[in-house]
Amino acid sequence: MSPPLRHISTSPTLPASADVVVIGGGIIGAFTAYYLAQRGLSVALVEKGRIGAEQSSRNWGWCRQQNRDARELPMASKSLDLWERFSAASGEDAGFHRCGLLYLSNDEAELSRWASWGDFAKTAGVTTYMLDSRQATERGQATGRTWKGGVFSPSDGTADPAKAAPAVAAALIKLGGSVNQFCAARGLELEGGRVSGVVTEAGVIKTRTAVLAGGAWASAFCRQLGIRFPQASIRQSILSVLPVEQGLPDALFTSGVSLTRRDDGRYALAISGRARVDVTPQLLRFAPQFFPMFAKRWRSLLPGGLEGIRGGHETLRRWRLDAPTPMERVRILDPKPDPYTIRETYRRGVELLPELRAAKITHAWAGFVDSTPDGVPGIGEVPGVPGLILAAGFSGHGFGIGPGAGHLIADIASGAKPIVDPVPYQPGRFDGSAWGKVADF
């Protein structure tokens, strides 16, 4: 079952040309197009399915600085301010609230890691509070348990995955941008090795700049151009339950299960890091590069099945630009949730928060989380293809940092001063044999 998602209207016609064409209508692509349109550029956003229908509506909805990898923290901090300013500037509701994020634990090693991150956070100007046992137990009173400690990050918050990407796309339309749904981008036209157009199933859009924000499809798209982008996906399962009368935390993390309150009062529940690894041709191709990441996180990963192959997003084959592509055969990646994980998530949720016993499951869904070998996204112009900007591999962090990432990509595309240092994200780092430090969180 797909998660809830706001529907928006498609622009009536495909533009013949645009200053920038953004490929992919998830949160990254939508914010990129929005910030470009704010600068007066003509923008076309093309999406093979519906805006926000893949991982951008299938995540927790957390917008956090807490426990961010040092390379992503500046972008996370900027994103919180941008989330807050978006609604006032656009008149659209993305469901963002600075509700604070609560982390509870009875594991000394986990608490020690959080404390170490807190020391680092102070040097970066981030406000976060370590909680002793009394404070953690008081904040986590809905669990009815005694906790050794925890963390509370008051300036962090959540946005609503059912609303966010569509809200940004609606804001783009108000600025004169074009939003084209059920319109797959099949490839690029090049002149003298530089981008000159984006070939879609509905025709060619002439442009000198294309942004590839294709999520789990990005590596397969790159392969059509002879570009090697190491990317692998895992399949995560989430459920939501009906609202409960007794107040629960808006956003709570524990190692066993975590929950997030949605705008409509329902709660989304998930097990952090728990996922199925579906074997695909692309995964096998890049397996040596991903060994350090999988070795670090193997306790949370389970063998998968054929959902990755059915999706078609990790194919190694090449396709023609004048015929339907795998993206047109599978408009929206909607993999089956793992029944065992759904049952276990609900069991843990009820065990942690007894008030959930009265809350029935309303939805259960899965999504493909695309990653890079070091767990940090690739953002920047692709070496060897002037005019093509990659924005993919967000490794499960893309929703929360969506505004900052979109702003940075718009900066790169328009030649403006970058909102954050772009060097840690440059795609050229994937050309080397050393993949760098795997993100801790």
Side-chain angles (χ1 to χ4, degrees):
M1 182 185 296
S2 298
L5 181 65
R6 172 189 170 186
H7 290 220
I8 66 166
S9 298
T10 292
S11 299
T13 58
L14 187 75
S17 63
D19 293 325
V20 183
V21 177
V22 179
I23 302 168
I27 198 70
I28 304 299
F31 265 120
T32 298
Y34 170 73
Y35 287 121
L36 286 167
Q38 271 196 331
R39 301 170 195 201
L41 297 175
S42 61
V43 185
L45 179 62
V46 295
E47 163 56 45
K48 61 181 176 51
R50 287 174 49 209
I51 296 296
E54 293 190 339
Q55 192 55 25
S56 291
S57 60
R58 296 166 188 266
N59 59 84
W60 292 18
W62 284 30
C63 306
R64 62 179 173 88
Q65 298 169 102
Q66 180 66 38
N67 292 343
R68 283 285 185 196
D69 185 271
R71 291 162 289 185
E72 285 187 353
L73 183 57
M75 186 179 288
S77 298
K78 294 289 187 182
S79 292
L80 284 167
D81 292 335
L82 293 171
W83 274 115
E84 203 158 46
R85 286 155 48 186
F86 169 74
S87 292
S90 67
E92 294 289 336
D93 178 18
F96 176 73
H97 308 283
R98 284 190 189 256
C99 57
L101 305 181
L102 176 62
Y103 297 68
L104 299 174
S105 179
N106 282 319
D107 183 276
E108 294 288 358
E110 187 171 50
L111 290 169
S112 178
R113 289 195 300 272
W114 293 349
S116 296
W117 188 91
D119 292 338
F120 156 70
K122 293 175 184 176
T123 68
V126 176
T127 301
T128 185
Y129 299 106
M130 287 297 300
L131 308 176
D132 61 24
S133 179
R134 180 187 62 81
Q135 293 167 325
T137 300
E138 182 178 342
R139 284 193 175 272
Q141 61 183 329
T143 67
R145 299 184 184 185
T146 298
W147 297 92
K148 288 184 177 180
V151 174
F152 183 64
S153 52
S155 60
D156 289 351
T158 64
D160 193 333
K163 296 179 176 180
V168 181
L172 168 64
I173 293 173
K174 291 179 182 178
L175 293 173
S178 173
V179 175
N180 308 277
Q181 298 176 99
F182 296 96
C183 181
R186 293 174 172 173
L188 303 180
E189 286 186 345
L190 305 177
E191 290 182 3
R194 181 184 174 84
V195 172
S196 62
V198 173
V199 180
T200 79
E201 62 180 290
V204 177
I205 307 173
K206 291 294 183 182
T207 188
R208 298 280 286 172
T209 305
V211 174
L212 176 56
W217 297 87
S219 185
F221 190 97
C222 284
R223 193 171 302 112
Q224 312 309 307
L225 301 164
I227 299 166
R228 186 178 184 277
F229 174 42
Q231 186 180 36
S233 297
I234 56 175
R235 175 167 47 99
Q236 291 190 329
S237 300
I238 299 180
L239 64 89
S240 69
V241 298
L242 290 169
V244 296
E245 292 184 10
Q246 192 72 19
L248 301 178
D250 286 334
L252 170 64
F253 170 92
T254 72
S255 60
V257 67
S258 299
L259 85 161
T260 313
R261 186 184 185 279
R262 298 293 196 230
D263 270 13
D264 61 4
R266 285 180 294 186
Y267 285 89
L269 282 74
I271 300 174
S272 179
R274 174 69 64 90
R276 293 281 178 179
V277 181
D278 297 323
V279 176
T280 66
Q282 181 173 292
L283 177 67
L284 295 175
R285 181 191 184 199
F286 294 128
Q289 285 74 35
F290 280 88
F291 179 78
M293 175 178 285
F294 287 150
K296 187 172 185 177
R297 301 176 181 175
W298 67 270
R299 289 181 179 86
S300 298
L301 301 177
L302 302 171
L306 299 177
E307 289 300 297
I309 291 176
R310 290 192 189 101
H313 58 295
E314 293 195 349
T315 178
L316 293 183
R317 79 174 185 85
R318 294 178 181 264
W319 55 72
R320 294 165 43 188
L321 302 186
D322 60 351
T325 68
M327 295 175 289
E328 290 148 82
R329 282 189 284 276
V330 181
R331 294 285 180 180
I332 296 171
L333 287 174
D334 188 21
K336 295 178 181 177
D338 174 34
Y340 168 76
T341 297
I342 295 299
R343 289 193 300 269
E344 180 66 8
T345 300
Y346 186 69
R347 185 193 69 78
R348 293 187 187 188
V350 170
E351 183 180 59
L352 179 69
L353 297 159
E355 290 294 336
L356 293 178
R357 285 196 182 95
K360 294 182 179 179
I361 296 175
T362 61
H363 296 79
W365 66 86
F368 287 112
V369 178
D370 62 297
S371 298
T372 61
D374 59 10
V376 175
I379 301 173
E381 190 167 62
V382 176
V385 186
L388 175 60
I389 298 171
L390 178 68
F394 280 80
S395 306
H397 307 157
F399 185 81
I401 63 174
H407 200 296
L408 174 61
I409 300 158
D411 294 338
I412 295 169
S414 63
K417 180 181 178 181
I419 190 173
V420 296
D421 181 7
V423 172
Y425 311 108
Q426 289 178 346
R429 75 184 191 275
F430 300 124
D431 294 336
S433 57
W435 302 102
K437 176 180 176 293
V438 176
D440 288 323
F441 300 98

